Amino acid sequence: MSVVKIQDLTFSYPQRNLDAVKDVSFSVDKGEYIAILGANGSGKSTLARLVCGYLSPTSGTISLKENLRIGLVFQCPGDQIVANIVEVDTSFGPRNLGCSKEEIACRTVASLEAVGLLERLLSKTRDLSQGQKQKLGVAGITALHPDLLVLDESTSMIDADSRRQLLDMMDTWHQQGKTILHITHSLEEAHRAHRVIAMNGGQVIFDGTRQEFKDAPHLEEQLFGQPLPPRTFVPCPSMKWFPLSEDYSDEIPEGFQNEAALVFHDITFSYDQDAFTAERMLFKESLFDKFSLAVEAGRLTALMGPSGCGKSTLMEIAAGLLHSQVGSVYSNSRPLLALQDSDHGLFEEFAADDVAFGPINQGVGGQELVKKVHFAMSQVGLPYEDFCERQTMTLSGGEKRKVSLAGIIAMEGQVLLFDEPTAGLDAKSRRRVMEMLLSLVQAGKTVLFTTHREDEALLAHRIVRLAPTVPVSIKEVLVEECLAKGQAPDQAFEEIGMLHKQESLQGVGLLKFLSSFGRSFSAGSNKPSLIQQLPALGKYLLFFCLFIFSFVTQSIIPAGICVGLVLIYALLARYPLKSGFKALLKIIPWLLFFFLVQVFFLPVMPDDTVVWAYGVMVVTDAKILAGVLLLLHLTAAFISLSAFVFSISEQEILDGLESLLFPLGKLGLPVRHVTLVAGIVFRFVPLLAQEAALIVKIQLIRGGLGEASGFFSKIRILMPLLVPLTIRTLNQASVLADALTARYYS
C-alpha cells in the first residue's frame, strides 16, 4: 500500500531559472527503506521538503496517506533545535502530540540513548558539537514515532562509530515496519536500503532495488566516481591519544623536510561559562590539559576523533579565535581556518564577492584579485563563469560549503586549517576537495584538516587520532627534543623553523561579548539548594513576592528589610553574591543617572528641607531619601531576579509560567502559545548571538573587523555585520518556524 505517491512533480525556486525538481514520479510503499542519491544541487533536499510539505509544487501532485505522520531530519544540524536543553528539545515533539508525562520521559530517554546522547540529557544545546547536534536532530524527530522518517544527510558530521550506531538504529526502525527515505552521499548507506532512487539535474535517473543498483557499476561510478586511493597505513594499536607518522620525504617540497610549521605547546583549555556558574568550572575537567603537538611543514595532516572530543576547538585555538588558559601556539605564519559551519556564515550577496573578501582585506585588487578568485573557485569545483554572480542564499548546502572553502584558499596562506571540509559534499566533490588539499601541500603549504572518514584520513601523510576521553596530553618527539635543551619555549621553537608565537586575532573581544550575551539568556544551576528543591510554581510565587515587595516599599527601613530578605533568598539559592555584585557594578552608571534625576529634577514639596540649590536644581532631604530608596529598590530587584534565574531551569520557567496561566487556559485562552513564545526567546536570542559570532569569526579570519577605540570606530567596524546578520535573522526565523512545524507544534 502506498503511503506517498508523487506524479509529474516539478518545482522551481523564484530566484533561479532552472527547475530544482523536474517531472519526478514515484511512489513509496509502507515499510520501504529507500535511499535517495545524487550530487550536490541535484534536487534531493528540495524533493524531501516537498514531500514533507515545506514547499509547494510548481506543478504536479503529491498524495499522502491520510493521517500519515512524517518526521524530517534537517540537513543542517543547528536548524532542527528548538530548545536550549537537550532533554527539553527531544521532548518537545511528544509534548505537542499530547503524550502523557510518562510517555514523554520514556520516548526522550529512548531516543537519546539510541543516538548516544543520553549522558548529555541536561546539557545546553549550544555546547554540543556539530556532530552531536546532528544526533540531537535525529533524536528529536524519532521521539515523534513518525510513520515516515525522512533523513536529509543525517550522518554527514558524525564520527564512524556514531554513524554505525545511527544506521543500526535505522535498520531496527525499519524492522519494526517503519518507512524510511534516506538522502545520502554514502555508497555504504545506500547499500543498506532495499531500494535506491538516484537523481541528477532534478530528475530521477534510476529507481530500482539495491541489487539492481549494485548490478549497474556504470551508475555507481557516475554518482560516486572513483574511490579515494589510500596510502599504506599502520592502524593505531590503542584507543588512547596516539600520534602516528609516516614519512613521504620525496613528496615534501625542498627545504621543508623535518621542520614544524605549527606547534601547540602545553595547551590547557576549558570553555568558561557565565559568571553565575563560573565556579563550577573549578570542578570540571579541561578539554585539553598540557596538550602538545607539532605539525610538520609541507605535509597534509589529518586530525580524527569522535564528535565532541575537541577537534574544532583545537582549530579555533590555532587560528586565534580562542585563547588557551595555559600554553601557546607557534607558527611560521598566521594560520587561516575554514570553519566547520562556515557555509552558514556567507555574508556577501554574490559568491565571487564572498570569495574575494579576504584578498581585498590583504590589499589585492584589479586583475590580480579576479585571478585569485577564479583560481580558488576552480579549485573547489565551482567554475567562475557559472557561479561568480550566483546569489549565495540560492546555493545548495554543498555549493555554499565550496564557496566558504574557496574564500580561504584565495588568501594564499602558508598554514591552512580545514575543519570537516567535505561534510555534506557528494562523493565526486569530496574527491575534488581532497585532491585540492594535496595540491596545496604540493605547492608548499602546510595543511591540517579534521575528518570522520577513514578514506580521507588515509590520504594524509600523517594521522593524529584524538581519544574519546578528556583531558589529554601529547608530547611530540620534536617538541620534547627542543624542551630537553632547557631553553625557553620561544628560543626552542625559533630553532625548529623560525616560528612565531601567535596571539589572538584583533577583534576577538567581540566574540566574547556575543558569547556572554547569548549565555545571559540561559537559566539554571546544578547546585543543590533549598530554593532548587521547590516546585516550579513555588519558585515563581516566592520570586514574585520578593520582586513586587522590592518596589512597593515607600520608606527606607522597609526597603532595607526587603534588601536583607533578598540577600537571604539569594543565599538559600546558593547564588554567588560576589558575581552578582560585580554584575551590579556594571549598571552603577545607570543607577547613578536615575538617582541624579530624582535628586535634581523632582518637584520640591512644602515640607522639604533644602540641602543645596543652584538655579533650577534644588536638592532636598526628601529627594535624597527618594534617590536612596530607588537604589535600594533596583538592588533588591536585580539580586532577586538574578537569584531566580540562577535557581530555576528553562523547562521550569516554562512549566511554572504554564501553571500560573492555568486559570486563563480554563477560559479557553491559548496559554501554551505564551509559554512557547517564552521558550523561543530562550532559544532564538542565543541563536542570533551564535549567528553573529559565526559571521564575526569568518570576517576576522579573512582580515575584516578588528579592534577599535572610541564609539564611532566601534560602530564603523560593526557595519559589515548588519546586512548579513539581518538576512540571517530573517532566515533563522523561517528555519525556526519550520523546526516547530517538524515537531508538530500547532
Side-chain angles (χ1 to χ4, degrees):
M1 180 181 68
S2 295
V3 294
V4 179
K5 189 172 183 180
I6 298 172
Q7 190 67 38
D8 299 327
L9 183 65
T10 297
F11 177 83
S12 300
Y13 288 101
Q15 305 93 330
R16 298 182 61 181
N17 297 324
L18 296 175
D19 293 327
V21 173
K22 184 177 181 180
D23 298 328
V24 170
S25 298
F26 65 88
S27 61
V28 180
D29 291 338
K30 185 179 185 303
E32 279 199 287
Y33 185 169
I34 302 174
I36 301 180
L37 306 174
N40 295 122
S42 62
K44 307 183 302 301
S45 297
T46 301
L47 178 62
R49 297 182 74 81
L50 284 164
V51 170
C52 296
Y54 295 96
L55 298 173
S56 299
T58 304
S59 63
T61 60
I62 302 175
S63 302
L64 303 177
K65 179 189 172 185
E66 189 176 358
N67 297 323
L68 181 71
R69 183 181 298 163
I70 303 178
L72 171 63
V73 180
F74 294 175
Q75 185 176 25
C76 299
D79 292 350
Q80 191 91 51
I81 299 172
V82 297
N84 262 2
I85 304 295
V86 168
E87 179 187 23
V88 179
D89 188 83
T90 308
S91 65
F92 185 74
R95 286 173 182 270
N96 294 330
L97 297 178
C99 298
S100 65
K101 288 187 177 180
E102 294 76 14
E103 178 68 12
I104 290 172
C106 182
R107 291 191 184 195
T108 300
V109 170
S111 297
L112 289 174
E113 187 174 26
V115 299
L117 275 185
L118 187 57
E119 62 181 15
R120 303 301 299 267
L121 183 74
L122 300 178
S123 297
K124 305 287 187 182
T125 54
R126 66 166 178 264
D127 294 333
L128 301 180
S129 68
Q130 285 294 96
Q132 290 169 331
K133 287 178 181 178
Q134 198 159 43
K135 294 180 185 180
L136 180 60
V138 174
I141 293 301
T142 54
L144 292 166
H145 289 186
D147 303 310
L148 172 61
L149 178 62
V150 183
L151 302 110
D152 191 359
E153 287 292 330
S154 59
T155 63
S156 61
M157 294 187 179
I158 57 179
D159 57 87
D161 289 339
S162 298
R163 181 166 159 265
R164 281 191 293 271
Q165 183 182 21
L166 182 56
L167 293 174
D168 290 342
M169 182 206 73
M170 290 167 59
D171 288 339
T172 303
W173 194 268
H174 177 242
Q175 290 165 8
Q176 295 172 352
K178 302 290 187 180
T179 309
I180 299 175
L181 284 179
H182 186 193
I183 294 171
T184 178
H185 290 138
S186 168
L187 184 59
E188 177 193 347
E189 293 174 10
H191 285 168
R192 284 200 179 218
H194 295 146
R195 178 179 165 196
V196 176
I197 294 175
M199 297 184 67
N200 185 37
Q203 295 180 301
V204 173
I205 59 173
F206 176 85
D207 184 352
T209 66
R210 172 175 57 194
Q211 190 58 50
E212 288 172 339
F213 179 71
K214 288 182 177 180
D215 292 339
H218 65 284
L219 182 62
E220 194 172 294
E221 184 174 343
Q222 178 184 347
L223 291 170
F224 296 96
Q226 295 294 324
L228 295 171
R231 294 181 181 274
T232 304
F233 175 71
V234 179
C236 176
S238 171
M239 286 302 295
K240 296 180 180 179
W241 292 57
F242 190 77
L244 295 177
S245 182
E246 294 184 70
D247 290 325
Y248 294 91
S249 300
D250 56 328
E251 300 180 21
I252 302 176
E254 187 175 351
F256 284 88
Q257 287 92 336
N258 301 320
E259 292 184 356
L262 175 65
V263 173
F264 299 90
H265 175 232
D266 277 351
I267 298 295
T268 296
F269 179 86
S270 62
Y271 280 101
D272 292 328
Q273 299 187 14
D274 53 82
F276 297 159
T277 57
E279 61 192 66
R280 278 188 286 161
M281 296 301 294
L282 297 176
F283 307 101
K284 185 177 180 182
E285 291 182 327
S286 299
L287 184 59
F288 293 103
D289 181 22
K290 295 184 178 180
F291 172 90
S292 295
L293 174 69
V295 179
E296 289 115 327
R299 291 196 178 191
L300 180 63
T301 302
L303 187 62
M304 299 190 73
S307 300
C309 72
K311 300 186 299 297
S312 297
T313 299
L314 199 61
M315 291 289 209
E316 292 198 17
I317 291 173
L321 295 173
L322 292 174
H323 183 69
S324 60
Q325 286 87 359
V326 179
S328 301
V329 174
Y330 299 83
S331 180
N332 59 17
S333 65
R334 168 65 68 182
L336 300 177
L337 169 62
L339 292 161
Q340 186 177 24
D341 199 27
S342 54
D343 48 303
H344 265 196
L346 302 181
F347 44 82
E348 296 287 0
E349 182 178 4
F350 299 103
D353 292 337
D354 202 274
V355 177
F357 183 83
I360 289 174
N361 288 324
Q362 292 175 325
V364 180
Q367 288 300 313
E368 184 182 358
L369 176 63
V370 175
K371 183 179 179 181
K372 286 179 180 287
V373 173
H374 192 289
F375 172 77
M377 294 181 71
S378 66
Q379 283 288 93
V380 297
L382 294 178
Y384 180 84
E385 295 75 12
D386 298 332
F387 285 89
C388 65
E389 296 185 359
R390 285 277 298 276
Q391 291 182 310
T392 53
M393 300 306 293
T394 67
L395 300 174
S396 70
E399 290 166 344
K400 288 179 180 178
R401 178 161 289 272
K402 292 177 184 179
V403 170
S404 68
L405 295 176
I408 294 299
I409 295 169
M411 296 180 68
E412 297 187 348
Q414 288 301 310
V415 178
L416 300 173
L417 314 174
F418 295 92
D419 195 1
E420 293 286 344
T422 65
L425 297 182
D426 59 72
K428 288 186 177 179
S429 296
R430 284 203 304 116
R431 182 185 179 92
R432 181 69 175 262
V433 168
M434 294 309 300
E435 290 173 345
M436 177 266 293
L437 297 184
L438 286 168
S439 70
L440 290 172
V441 170
Q442 290 170 0
K445 313 291 186 183
T446 302
V447 179
L448 175 66
F449 74 103
T450 67
T451 181
H452 288 304
R453 296 179 176 272
E454 198 74 24
D455 58 340
E456 293 178 0
L458 294 180
L459 279 174
H461 298 106
R462 180 171 182 233
I463 299 174
V464 176
R465 295 180 183 273
L466 309 190
T469 57
V470 292
V472 295
S473 176
I474 294 182
K475 290 292 184 181
E476 289 292 321
V477 174
L478 184 59
V479 178
E480 287 276 21
E481 288 178 352
C482 295
L483 296 180
K485 299 176 182 178
Q487 298 170 304
D490 295 55
Q491 297 171 323
F493 291 126
E494 289 291 341
E495 283 192 11
I496 290 176
M498 299 303 292
L499 303 187
H500 306 283
K501 185 176 180 180
Q502 299 299 316
E503 304 295 341
S504 298
L505 288 168
Q506 286 192 339
V508 78
L510 183 56
L511 288 178
K512 295 180 181 178
F513 166 75
L514 292 171
S515 176
S516 61
F517 180 76
R519 289 183 183 275
S520 67
F521 281 82
S522 178
S525 166
N526 291 332
K527 280 188 175 182
S529 67
L530 290 175
I531 303 298
Q532 187 81 295
Q533 295 172 15
L534 293 175
L537 182 59
K539 292 180 180 180
Y540 260 101
L541 293 176
L542 180 58
F543 161 68
F544 279 140
C545 288
L546 289 171
F547 191 77
I548 293 171
F549 184 45
S550 67
F551 280 106
V552 298
T553 52
Q554 294 302 315
S555 59
I556 297 295
I557 293 178
I561 293 174
C562 181
V563 172
L565 291 174
V566 165
L567 292 175
I568 293 173
Y569 166 65
L571 291 172
L572 290 176
R574 298 191 65 188
Y575 170 72
L577 284 173
K578 182 178 179 181
S579 300
F581 285 122
K582 282 184 178 179
L584 189 61
L585 287 174
K586 295 180 180 179
I587 62 172
I588 283 294
W590 293 102
L591 296 180
L592 290 176
F593 171 76
F594 288 118
F595 176 81
L596 293 175
V597 168
Q598 293 251 49
V599 168
F600 286 121
F601 299 109
L602 281 178
V604 179
M605 305 305 292
D607 297 334
D608 290 355
T609 300
V610 176
V611 177
W612 179 83
Y614 183 80
V616 297
M617 294 184 293
V618 180
V619 179
T620 68
D621 58 344
K623 287 185 178 184
I624 293 175
L625 289 176
V628 172
L629 189 63
L630 175 67
L631 293 179
L632 291 174
H633 283 168
L634 293 177
T635 300
F638 181 84
I639 297 296
S640 63
L641 178 60
S642 299
F644 171 70
V645 172
F646 180 76
S647 63
I648 193 169
S649 69
E650 291 168 22
Q651 186 57 49
E652 286 179 316
I653 288 178
L654 304 183
D655 291 342
L657 185 59
E658 197 164 344
S659 298
L660 287 172
L661 299 176
F662 180 75
L664 297 178
K666 285 294 185 181
L667 298 175
L669 296 178
V671 170
R672 194 160 182 280
H673 290 285
V674 177
T675 59
L676 175 69
V677 170
I680 286 177
V681 169
F682 276 106
R683 170 63 184 155
F684 197 66
V685 174
L687 185 65
L688 292 183
Q690 287 179 348
E691 292 287 342
L694 178 59
I695 296 172
V696 169
K697 284 180 181 179
I698 295 172
Q699 293 205 8
L700 288 175
I701 291 168
R702 299 192 195 178
L705 301 180
E707 298 286 1
S709 57
F711 177 78
F712 291 106
S713 296
K714 292 180 179 179
I715 293 295
R716 178 179 56 79
I717 69 168
L718 288 175
M719 287 302 292
L721 296 178
L722 296 181
V723 173
L725 187 56
T726 300
I727 294 173
R728 292 299 302 164
T729 300
L730 296 174
N731 184 60
Q732 280 299 334
S734 175
V735 166
L736 187 58
D738 286 346
L740 294 175
T741 301
R743 306 293 185 90
Y744 284 80
Y745 175 80
S746 61

